[in-house]
Amino acid sequence: MRIELKNFKKTFGDITVIEDMSLSLESGEMLALLGPSGCGKSTTLFAICGIHRMTGGQLLFGDRDVTLVPSQQRNVGVVFQNYALYPHMNAYENIAFPLMIRKEDRKTIEKKVSEIAALVHIGELMERKPAQLSGGQQQRVALARALVREPDILLLDEPLANLDAKLRLEMRSEIRRIQQQTGITAILVTHDQVEAMSMCDRIAIMNKGDIVQLSSPQDMYQNPNSEFVASFLGNPPIAFLDGVVTDGGVQLASSEALLPLRGQHGLPSSGMPIRLGIRPEHFQPENPLKVTGRISFVETQGREELYDVTLSNGSVLRSIQRQGGGYHLGDEVSWGIAENQILAFDASGARLHMGALA
Amino acid sequence: MNTNFKSWPILLALGLTSVPLVTMYAYMIIDTVTVSPPGSFIPNGISFGSWSFLWEAPAPGRPSIWSVTLNTFIFACVSTLMALSVSLTGGYALSRLHLPFRGFFLGGLIVLHAFPTITLIIAIFLILQMVGLYDTLAGVILVKAALEIPFGVWIMKGFYDTVPWEIEMAGLTDGATRFTVWRKLVLPQVQPGITALGIFAFLSGWSEFILPQVLAPGADAQVLGVYLQSLISDDTSMDFAKFKSVGVFYAIPVILIYILFNKHLMNIYGGGTKG
């Protein structure tokens, strides 16, 4: 079902959490609300499921205006961070609870519960109480409970935050599989960019109560519209070089080094400050635009190796390379930046679009 | 503990200091089924004569022990039920709802709980007389329940505070009304609190003396505490063996409840502390 949030505003007392936010989801789409803590992503989620009343704005499920509809009649399924399973009921009763509230007959309930249990692979756990289930199993029960009454929209509030690393990986693909299999419209709230990128069709990055960019994971990674977005996405994170635009290119701050970005147009006029964002995969030994520095940190990640290279002016660039480069801590290296992959930002953090000269 | 701490000195000290207590309890029971010569510790015969109040018709003007026991039971049960129902709902409201003057209510509860009952008794007496409930079981039940409520609400609020919000949010999004959520999802989480509070209130009602003594002294509404007191205040026939027998009879339900429910009673300290 198509979900539309128009001019949403939310205040708690004197504090305005969200000023004016609009968002729309296509039917069957999974969207991530991604942002640092306190950016208002959970507030948005609670407004959509009806637990918080909206201070202003409008919420549409399909053509139905649910702005003033209480939570019970909205038909949303929510998976909470701590799963919020009912501790005194076993898995079956937990999943059946929404149906019992609707007073469906026993046969129908049994049929629906066993169908959904098969979908989330917990068929054999139905007799267990939540305390007897592992984190991943609790997560599956919570998903089943949220999905069993075929909600218009599925809301996931940091669903993986309480799982250990291995389970998180497993549940990431499981949630996506279940979402795609049921074709439900879903919103995932998370502060983890890896989750957002790997699970969702689109990502809305939020900062201070506003959506700063809304795009597909791929596009957002390659074309961030601000420094905030660029620094939020990517692991290991992007590195920045401060500098000033000169005739010959970019003069790095407190350094003699000049990056000759002659092949680029769209640079601001001379004398303007500029920040260059360089992702670790675009700072490699074989690239032509060399900068020199000293390896100040090496992190082995198994398949790859992550190097921090400190330049003479103190700035740090990161590089991620295959194993076996033979570089060591303290080595003086001269590696190159992939010129056409540089992301440039002005002093306010907004993206400057540069392109190669034709 | 055994290796670096000897336990026998402690056991010895505890044993010695509790000898008088154990002796008193032992003789409280022994005296009710034996006869001993005056001044002697050694009984010289068995007799159940002092228990005759259980089967003999009461003296003229005195209520029968069974009607008094029934009164006590009704008194304890009904005041417990009333205190429980108000505590369960009031505690929830204070813990979860946006009440006006919430802080005032919370402070008021503590003050009320700290208030000695006896200072209120004249006012309560006057009120009961004015509404015509003086010397009735109903009147004294109402007063007892009212005085139990501040403690009960406070304890239950503490239990409700420990129930995660998310459970209620999940219930609401699952389509349940606020009342159903409370009834089906929240109450089961505070079950230990309900049990403990119920037992406490029952025991407190069972052993209540001063309120029935002042507010319902008549034979129709007499409870066991008052019955016991009237035995000892009767100067004409002082019968200590009978007094002890009634005392044991009075204490048996309390002892049984403590034995059966001591685990549940400890919960009130475990769960109610987060208020």
mmCIF file of all heavy atoms in Angstrom, chain A residues 46 49 51 71-72 76 78 80 82 84-89 94 97-98 101 145 149, chain B residues 164 166-178 180-181 184-186 188-189:
data_model
loop_
_atom_site.group_PDB
_atom_site.id
_atom_site.type_symbol
_atom_site.label_atom_id
_atom_site.label_comp_id
_atom_site.label_asym_id
_atom_site.label_seq_id
_atom_site.Cartn_x
_atom_site.Cartn_y
_atom_site.Cartn_z
ATOM 1 N N PHE A 46 6.908 6.296 15.284
ATOM 2 C CA PHE A 46 5.816 6.230 16.249
ATOM 3 C C PHE A 46 4.622 7.056 15.804
ATOM 4 O O PHE A 46 3.478 6.759 16.166
ATOM 5 C CB PHE A 46 6.294 6.680 17.638
ATOM 6 C CG PHE A 46 7.159 5.661 18.319
ATOM 7 C CD1 PHE A 46 8.278 6.034 19.036
ATOM 8 C CD2 PHE A 46 6.850 4.309 18.236
ATOM 9 C CE1 PHE A 46 9.081 5.082 19.651
ATOM 10 C CE2 PHE A 46 7.642 3.355 18.850
ATOM 11 C CZ PHE A 46 8.762 3.750 19.560
ATOM 12 N N CYS A 49 2.772 4.788 13.274
ATOM 13 C CA CYS A 49 1.976 3.703 13.842
ATOM 14 C C CYS A 49 0.928 4.229 14.814
ATOM 15 O O CYS A 49 0.098 3.467 15.295
ATOM 16 C CB CYS A 49 2.845 2.639 14.480
ATOM 17 S SG CYS A 49 3.674 3.121 15.970
ATOM 18 N N ILE A 51 1.242 5.846 17.799
ATOM 19 C CA ILE A 51 1.481 5.907 19.242
ATOM 20 C C ILE A 51 1.695 7.356 19.674
ATOM 21 O O ILE A 51 1.211 7.772 20.714
ATOM 22 C CB ILE A 51 2.663 4.996 19.622
ATOM 23 C CG1 ILE A 51 2.166 3.556 19.598
ATOM 24 C CG2 ILE A 51 3.211 5.347 20.988
ATOM 25 C CD1 ILE A 51 3.228 2.525 19.611
ATOM 26 N N SER A 71 -4.289 4.237 16.913
ATOM 27 C CA SER A 71 -3.349 3.176 16.573
ATOM 28 C C SER A 71 -4.046 1.840 16.302
ATOM 29 O O SER A 71 -3.691 1.123 15.373
ATOM 30 C CB SER A 71 -2.390 3.020 17.744
ATOM 31 O OG SER A 71 -1.302 2.277 17.390
ATOM 32 N N GLN A 72 -5.060 1.516 17.102
ATOM 33 C CA GLN A 72 -5.723 0.210 16.998
ATOM 34 C C GLN A 72 -6.362 -0.005 15.635
ATOM 35 O O GLN A 72 -6.488 -1.120 15.164
ATOM 36 C CB GLN A 72 -6.828 0.086 18.061
ATOM 37 C CG GLN A 72 -6.324 -0.045 19.470
ATOM 38 C CD GLN A 72 -6.204 1.291 20.173
ATOM 39 O OE1 GLN A 72 -5.993 2.309 19.526
ATOM 40 N NE2 GLN A 72 -6.330 1.303 21.470
ATOM 41 N N VAL A 76 -1.227 -1.283 11.295
ATOM 42 C CA VAL A 76 0.220 -1.268 11.091
ATOM 43 C C VAL A 76 0.824 -2.410 11.910
ATOM 44 O O VAL A 76 0.309 -2.759 12.971
ATOM 45 C CB VAL A 76 0.876 0.061 11.547
ATOM 46 C CG1 VAL A 76 0.519 1.174 10.603
ATOM 47 C CG2 VAL A 76 0.474 0.410 12.960
ATOM 48 N N VAL A 78 4.257 -3.550 13.867
ATOM 49 C CA VAL A 78 5.480 -2.934 14.371
ATOM 50 C C VAL A 78 6.364 -4.006 15.004
ATOM 51 O O VAL A 78 5.884 -4.849 15.755
ATOM 52 C CB VAL A 78 5.173 -1.857 15.420
ATOM 53 C CG1 VAL A 78 6.433 -1.096 15.784
ATOM 54 C CG2 VAL A 78 4.109 -0.903 14.923
ATOM 55 N N PHE A 80 9.498 -4.000 17.497
ATOM 56 C CA PHE A 80 10.236 -3.081 18.353
ATOM 57 C C PHE A 80 11.664 -3.575 18.568
ATOM 58 O O PHE A 80 11.964 -4.751 18.386
ATOM 59 C CB PHE A 80 9.541 -2.955 19.706
ATOM 60 C CG PHE A 80 8.209 -2.280 19.622
ATOM 61 C CD1 PHE A 80 7.057 -3.016 19.439
ATOM 62 C CD2 PHE A 80 8.118 -0.905 19.703
ATOM 63 C CE1 PHE A 80 5.828 -2.395 19.349
ATOM 64 C CE2 PHE A 80 6.886 -0.280 19.611
ATOM 65 C CZ PHE A 80 5.744 -1.018 19.433
ATOM 66 N N ASN A 82 13.299 -4.111 21.267
ATOM 67 C CA ASN A 82 13.419 -5.212 22.232
ATOM 68 C C ASN A 82 12.342 -6.270 21.991
ATOM 69 O O ASN A 82 12.052 -7.070 22.866
ATOM 70 C CB ASN A 82 13.366 -4.688 23.657
ATOM 71 C CG ASN A 82 12.071 -3.959 23.937
ATOM 72 O OD1 ASN A 82 11.152 -3.950 23.115
ATOM 73 N ND2 ASN A 82 11.959 -3.358 25.095
ATOM 74 N N ALA A 84 9.388 -6.690 22.319
ATOM 75 C CA ALA A 84 8.132 -6.504 23.059
ATOM 76 C C ALA A 84 7.208 -7.704 22.929
ATOM 77 O O ALA A 84 6.011 -7.559 22.742
ATOM 78 C CB ALA A 84 7.418 -5.228 22.598
ATOM 79 N N LEU A 85 7.756 -8.899 23.033
ATOM 80 C CA LEU A 85 6.894 -10.078 23.079
ATOM 81 C C LEU A 85 6.207 -10.097 24.441
ATOM 82 O O LEU A 85 6.738 -9.584 25.415
ATOM 83 C CB LEU A 85 7.719 -11.347 22.881
ATOM 84 C CG LEU A 85 8.410 -11.459 21.523
ATOM 85 C CD1 LEU A 85 9.236 -12.725 21.458
ATOM 86 C CD2 LEU A 85 7.388 -11.436 20.399
ATOM 87 N N TYR A 86 5.014 -10.709 24.476
ATOM 88 C CA TYR A 86 4.292 -10.780 25.742
ATOM 89 C C TYR A 86 4.851 -11.956 26.544
ATOM 90 O O TYR A 86 4.667 -13.108 26.165
ATOM 91 C CB TYR A 86 2.797 -10.931 25.482
ATOM 92 C CG TYR A 86 2.272 -9.922 24.466
ATOM 93 C CD1 TYR A 86 1.460 -10.302 23.424
ATOM 94 C CD2 TYR A 86 2.632 -8.579 24.562
ATOM 95 C CE1 TYR A 86 0.999 -9.375 22.492
ATOM 96 C CE2 TYR A 86 2.189 -7.655 23.639
ATOM 97 C CZ TYR A 86 1.374 -8.057 22.604
ATOM 98 O OH TYR A 86 0.931 -7.144 21.701
ATOM 99 N N PRO A 87 5.534 -11.675 27.654
ATOM 100 C CA PRO A 87 6.334 -12.717 28.321
ATOM 101 C C PRO A 87 5.499 -13.876 28.861
ATOM 102 O O PRO A 87 6.005 -14.976 29.002
ATOM 103 C CB PRO A 87 6.993 -11.982 29.492
ATOM 104 C CG PRO A 87 6.770 -10.538 29.255
ATOM 105 C CD PRO A 87 5.599 -10.393 28.355
ATOM 106 N N HIS A 88 4.213 -13.625 29.160
ATOM 107 C CA HIS A 88 3.423 -14.684 29.783
ATOM 108 C C HIS A 88 2.737 -15.572 28.748
ATOM 109 O O HIS A 88 2.031 -16.496 29.108
ATOM 110 C CB HIS A 88 2.388 -14.068 30.714
ATOM 111 C CG HIS A 88 1.472 -13.097 30.017
ATOM 112 N ND1 HIS A 88 1.938 -11.918 29.478
ATOM 113 C CD2 HIS A 88 0.163 -13.137 29.756
ATOM 114 C CE1 HIS A 88 0.936 -11.276 28.924
ATOM 115 N NE2 HIS A 88 -0.156 -11.990 29.080
ATOM 116 N N MET A 89 2.900 -15.269 27.474
ATOM 117 C CA MET A 89 2.271 -16.082 26.438
ATOM 118 C C MET A 89 3.357 -16.832 25.672
ATOM 119 O O MET A 89 4.461 -16.319 25.504
ATOM 120 C CB MET A 89 1.529 -15.185 25.445
ATOM 121 C CG MET A 89 0.430 -14.348 26.049
ATOM 122 S SD MET A 89 -0.327 -13.378 24.731
ATOM 123 C CE MET A 89 -1.524 -12.436 25.656
ATOM 124 N N ASN A 94 1.436 -15.408 21.315
ATOM 125 C CA ASN A 94 1.932 -14.096 20.924
ATOM 126 C C ASN A 94 1.501 -13.745 19.504
ATOM 127 O O ASN A 94 0.984 -12.669 19.246
ATOM 128 C CB ASN A 94 3.460 -14.064 21.010
ATOM 129 C CG ASN A 94 3.956 -13.445 22.288
ATOM 130 O OD1 ASN A 94 3.899 -12.233 22.454
ATOM 131 N ND2 ASN A 94 4.397 -14.265 23.205
ATOM 132 N N PHE A 97 -2.258 -13.254 19.083
ATOM 133 C CA PHE A 97 -2.908 -12.183 19.851
ATOM 134 C C PHE A 97 -3.661 -11.153 18.996
ATOM 135 O O PHE A 97 -4.834 -10.876 19.269
ATOM 136 C CB PHE A 97 -1.870 -11.494 20.746
ATOM 137 C CG PHE A 97 -2.443 -10.443 21.636
ATOM 138 C CD1 PHE A 97 -3.131 -10.783 22.787
ATOM 139 C CD2 PHE A 97 -2.324 -9.092 21.317
ATOM 140 C CE1 PHE A 97 -3.671 -9.820 23.600
ATOM 141 C CE2 PHE A 97 -2.864 -8.118 22.134
ATOM 142 C CZ PHE A 97 -3.540 -8.485 23.274
ATOM 143 N N PRO A 98 -3.039 -10.614 17.934
ATOM 144 C CA PRO A 98 -3.778 -9.617 17.125
ATOM 145 C C PRO A 98 -5.053 -10.206 16.516
ATOM 146 O O PRO A 98 -6.052 -9.502 16.380
ATOM 147 C CB PRO A 98 -2.790 -9.248 16.025
ATOM 148 C CG PRO A 98 -1.470 -9.691 16.485
ATOM 149 C CD PRO A 98 -1.681 -10.812 17.432
ATOM 150 N N ILE A 101 -7.753 -10.541 19.236
ATOM 151 C CA ILE A 101 -8.349 -9.240 19.515
ATOM 152 C C ILE A 101 -9.425 -8.929 18.478
ATOM 153 O O ILE A 101 -10.463 -8.357 18.781
ATOM 154 C CB ILE A 101 -7.245 -8.152 19.491
ATOM 155 C CG1 ILE A 101 -6.330 -8.307 20.693
ATOM 156 C CG2 ILE A 101 -7.844 -6.750 19.454
ATOM 157 C CD1 ILE A 101 -6.996 -8.075 22.012
ATOM 158 N N ARG A 145 4.277 -11.891 14.488
ATOM 159 C CA ARG A 145 3.147 -11.229 15.135
ATOM 160 C C ARG A 145 2.768 -9.953 14.384
ATOM 161 O O ARG A 145 1.598 -9.612 14.252
ATOM 162 C CB ARG A 145 3.492 -10.903 16.587
ATOM 163 C CG ARG A 145 2.314 -10.363 17.357
ATOM 164 C CD ARG A 145 2.679 -10.027 18.780
ATOM 165 N NE ARG A 145 3.639 -8.932 18.836
ATOM 166 C CZ ARG A 145 4.236 -8.542 19.946
ATOM 167 N NH1 ARG A 145 3.985 -9.144 21.078
ATOM 168 N NH2 ARG A 145 5.094 -7.541 19.918
ATOM 169 N N ARG A 149 -1.581 -10.250 10.755
ATOM 170 C CA ARG A 149 -2.900 -9.740 10.351
ATOM 171 C C ARG A 149 -2.819 -8.897 9.084
ATOM 172 O O ARG A 149 -3.645 -8.018 8.855
ATOM 173 C CB ARG A 149 -3.535 -8.963 11.488
ATOM 174 C CG ARG A 149 -2.802 -7.737 11.809
ATOM 175 C CD ARG A 149 -2.893 -7.410 13.267
ATOM 176 N NE ARG A 149 -1.756 -6.588 13.531
ATOM 177 C CZ ARG A 149 -1.827 -5.274 13.585
ATOM 178 N NH1 ARG A 149 -2.966 -4.659 13.525
ATOM 179 N NH2 ARG A 149 -0.740 -4.573 13.735
ATOM 180 N N PRO B 164 7.865 -2.937 30.519
ATOM 181 C CA PRO B 164 8.327 -2.099 29.404
ATOM 182 C C PRO B 164 7.165 -1.446 28.653
ATOM 183 O O PRO B 164 6.141 -2.094 28.406
ATOM 184 C CB PRO B 164 9.058 -3.083 28.483
ATOM 185 C CG PRO B 164 9.164 -4.360 29.211
ATOM 186 C CD PRO B 164 8.230 -4.345 30.358
ATOM 187 N N GLU B 166 7.102 -0.808 25.621
ATOM 188 C CA GLU B 166 6.932 -1.403 24.300
ATOM 189 C C GLU B 166 5.842 -2.463 24.294
ATOM 190 O O GLU B 166 5.182 -2.666 23.284
ATOM 191 C CB GLU B 166 8.248 -2.017 23.806
ATOM 192 C CG GLU B 166 9.254 -1.002 23.279
ATOM 193 C CD GLU B 166 10.046 -0.365 24.385
ATOM 194 O OE1 GLU B 166 9.831 -0.747 25.561
ATOM 195 O OE2 GLU B 166 10.881 0.507 24.093
ATOM 196 N N ILE B 167 5.668 -3.147 25.431
ATOM 197 C CA ILE B 167 4.630 -4.181 25.470
ATOM 198 C C ILE B 167 3.259 -3.539 25.264
ATOM 199 O O ILE B 167 2.420 -4.054 24.526
ATOM 200 C CB ILE B 167 4.709 -4.942 26.803
ATOM 201 C CG1 ILE B 167 5.908 -5.874 26.752
ATOM 202 C CG2 ILE B 167 3.427 -5.720 27.071
ATOM 203 C CD1 ILE B 167 6.014 -6.825 27.892
ATOM 204 N N GLU B 168 3.063 -2.386 25.881
ATOM 205 C CA GLU B 168 1.781 -1.707 25.693
ATOM 206 C C GLU B 168 1.638 -1.155 24.281
ATOM 207 O O GLU B 168 0.578 -1.238 23.672
ATOM 208 C CB GLU B 168 1.648 -0.572 26.711
ATOM 209 C CG GLU B 168 1.344 -1.092 28.085
ATOM 210 C CD GLU B 168 1.094 0.015 29.071
ATOM 211 O OE1 GLU B 168 0.101 0.743 28.896
ATOM 212 O OE2 GLU B 168 1.889 0.153 30.010
ATOM 213 N N MET B 169 2.758 -0.602 23.769
ATOM 214 C CA MET B 169 2.709 -0.086 22.390
ATOM 215 C C MET B 169 2.382 -1.216 21.428
ATOM 216 O O MET B 169 1.559 -1.050 20.519
ATOM 217 C CB MET B 169 4.061 0.507 22.011
ATOM 218 C CG MET B 169 4.451 1.728 22.789
ATOM 219 S SD MET B 169 6.018 2.324 22.154
ATOM 220 C CE MET B 169 6.325 3.679 23.248
ATOM 221 N N ALA B 170 3.021 -2.371 21.628
ATOM 222 C CA ALA B 170 2.771 -3.510 20.752
ATOM 223 C C ALA B 170 1.299 -3.911 20.840
ATOM 224 O O ALA B 170 0.660 -4.185 19.819
ATOM 225 C CB ALA B 170 3.674 -4.679 21.140
ATOM 226 N N GLY B 171 0.765 -3.922 22.060
ATOM 227 C CA GLY B 171 -0.636 -4.288 22.232
ATOM 228 C C GLY B 171 -1.561 -3.337 21.488
ATOM 229 O O GLY B 171 -2.507 -3.756 20.823
ATOM 230 N N LEU B 172 -1.254 -2.042 21.582
ATOM 231 C CA LEU B 172 -2.098 -1.050 20.897
ATOM 232 C C LEU B 172 -2.041 -1.229 19.393
ATOM 233 O O LEU B 172 -3.074 -1.222 18.713
ATOM 234 C CB LEU B 172 -1.651 0.371 21.254
ATOM 235 C CG LEU B 172 -1.886 0.821 22.689
ATOM 236 C CD1 LEU B 172 -1.423 2.257 22.860
ATOM 237 C CD2 LEU B 172 -3.350 0.708 23.062
ATOM 238 N N THR B 173 -0.828 -1.420 18.857
ATOM 239 C CA THR B 173 -0.746 -1.569 17.399
ATOM 240 C C THR B 173 -1.328 -2.913 16.960
ATOM 241 O O THR B 173 -1.716 -3.062 15.824
ATOM 242 C CB THR B 173 0.704 -1.448 16.900
ATOM 243 O OG1 THR B 173 1.504 -2.359 17.629
ATOM 244 C CG2 THR B 173 1.239 -0.057 17.093
ATOM 245 N N ASP B 174 -1.391 -3.880 17.895
ATOM 246 C CA ASP B 174 -2.046 -5.141 17.565
ATOM 247 C C ASP B 174 -3.568 -5.006 17.578
ATOM 248 O O ASP B 174 -4.269 -5.983 17.331
ATOM 249 C CB ASP B 174 -1.627 -6.241 18.552
ATOM 250 C CG ASP B 174 -0.275 -6.823 18.209
ATOM 251 O OD1 ASP B 174 0.205 -6.547 17.104
ATOM 252 O OD2 ASP B 174 0.295 -7.544 19.042
ATOM 253 N N GLY B 175 -4.058 -3.827 17.919
ATOM 254 C CA GLY B 175 -5.486 -3.577 17.807
ATOM 255 C C GLY B 175 -6.255 -3.635 19.114
ATOM 256 O O GLY B 175 -7.477 -3.509 19.112
ATOM 257 N N ALA B 176 -5.559 -3.837 20.233
ATOM 258 C CA ALA B 176 -6.273 -3.939 21.504
ATOM 259 C C ALA B 176 -6.554 -2.558 22.080
ATOM 260 O O ALA B 176 -5.782 -1.626 21.873
ATOM 261 C CB ALA B 176 -5.450 -4.754 22.488
ATOM 262 N N THR B 177 -7.665 -2.434 22.812
ATOM 263 C CA THR B 177 -7.958 -1.166 23.467
ATOM 264 C C THR B 177 -7.034 -1.004 24.666
ATOM 265 O O THR B 177 -6.415 -1.960 25.126
ATOM 266 C CB THR B 177 -9.400 -1.125 23.976
ATOM 267 O OG1 THR B 177 -9.548 -2.187 24.930
ATOM 268 C CG2 THR B 177 -10.396 -1.325 22.863
ATOM 269 N N ARG B 178 -6.987 0.213 25.167
ATOM 270 C CA ARG B 178 -6.135 0.475 26.326
ATOM 271 C C ARG B 178 -6.523 -0.431 27.499
ATOM 272 O O ARG B 178 -5.680 -0.932 28.223
ATOM 273 C CB ARG B 178 -6.283 1.952 26.703
ATOM 274 C CG ARG B 178 -5.168 2.540 27.531
ATOM 275 C CD ARG B 178 -3.962 2.864 26.702
ATOM 276 N NE ARG B 178 -2.744 2.939 27.522
ATOM 277 C CZ ARG B 178 -2.177 4.070 27.912
ATOM 278 N NH1 ARG B 178 -2.672 5.205 27.548
ATOM 279 N NH2 ARG B 178 -1.102 4.060 28.652
ATOM 280 N N THR B 180 -8.012 -3.464 27.350
ATOM 281 C CA THR B 180 -7.592 -4.838 27.063
ATOM 282 C C THR B 180 -6.089 -4.993 27.270
ATOM 283 O O THR B 180 -5.625 -6.010 27.790
ATOM 284 C CB THR B 180 -7.951 -5.215 25.615
ATOM 285 O OG1 THR B 180 -9.302 -4.860 25.384
ATOM 286 C CG2 THR B 180 -7.763 -6.691 25.374
ATOM 287 N N VAL B 181 -5.345 -3.985 26.853
ATOM 288 C CA VAL B 181 -3.900 -4.037 27.043
ATOM 289 C C VAL B 181 -3.573 -4.158 28.524
ATOM 290 O O VAL B 181 -2.762 -4.995 28.937
ATOM 291 C CB VAL B 181 -3.229 -2.775 26.446
ATOM 292 C CG1 VAL B 181 -1.802 -2.649 26.919
ATOM 293 C CG2 VAL B 181 -3.278 -2.827 24.931
ATOM 294 N N LYS B 184 -5.043 -7.768 29.712
ATOM 295 C CA LYS B 184 -4.490 -9.010 29.168
ATOM 296 C C LYS B 184 -2.962 -9.003 29.101
ATOM 297 O O LYS B 184 -2.350 -10.065 29.096
ATOM 298 C CB LYS B 184 -5.020 -9.229 27.741
ATOM 299 C CG LYS B 184 -6.497 -9.550 27.688
ATOM 300 C CD LYS B 184 -6.702 -10.915 27.042
ATOM 301 C CE LYS B 184 -8.111 -11.415 27.168
ATOM 302 N NZ LYS B 184 -8.923 -11.107 25.991
ATOM 303 N N LEU B 185 -2.366 -7.822 28.981
ATOM 304 C CA LEU B 185 -0.917 -7.789 28.768
ATOM 305 C C LEU B 185 -0.152 -7.251 29.968
ATOM 306 O O LEU B 185 0.922 -7.742 30.279
ATOM 307 C CB LEU B 185 -0.579 -6.946 27.529
ATOM 308 C CG LEU B 185 -1.223 -7.397 26.232
ATOM 309 C CD1 LEU B 185 -0.810 -6.501 25.089
ATOM 310 C CD2 LEU B 185 -0.852 -8.831 25.926
ATOM 311 N N VAL B 186 -0.695 -6.241 30.634
ATOM 312 C CA VAL B 186 0.072 -5.621 31.712
ATOM 313 C C VAL B 186 -0.160 -6.338 33.042
ATOM 314 O O VAL B 186 0.794 -6.653 33.758
ATOM 315 C CB VAL B 186 -0.258 -4.123 31.827
ATOM 316 C CG1 VAL B 186 0.520 -3.501 32.966
ATOM 317 C CG2 VAL B 186 0.063 -3.407 30.527
ATOM 318 N N PRO B 188 -0.789 -9.457 33.796
ATOM 319 C CA PRO B 188 0.013 -10.662 34.002
ATOM 320 C C PRO B 188 1.471 -10.369 34.358
ATOM 321 O O PRO B 188 2.104 -11.158 35.048
ATOM 322 C CB PRO B 188 -0.081 -11.388 32.655
ATOM 323 C CG PRO B 188 -1.336 -10.910 32.055
ATOM 324 C CD PRO B 188 -1.493 -9.494 32.490
ATOM 325 N N GLN B 189 1.986 -9.214 33.897
ATOM 326 C CA GLN B 189 3.378 -8.881 34.226
ATOM 327 C C GLN B 189 3.529 -8.469 35.687
ATOM 328 O O GLN B 189 4.622 -8.532 36.231
ATOM 329 C CB GLN B 189 3.924 -7.748 33.348
ATOM 330 C CG GLN B 189 3.619 -7.842 31.871
ATOM 331 C CD GLN B 189 4.057 -9.134 31.283
ATOM 332 O OE1 GLN B 189 5.122 -9.627 31.598
ATOM 333 N NE2 GLN B 189 3.219 -9.720 30.448
#
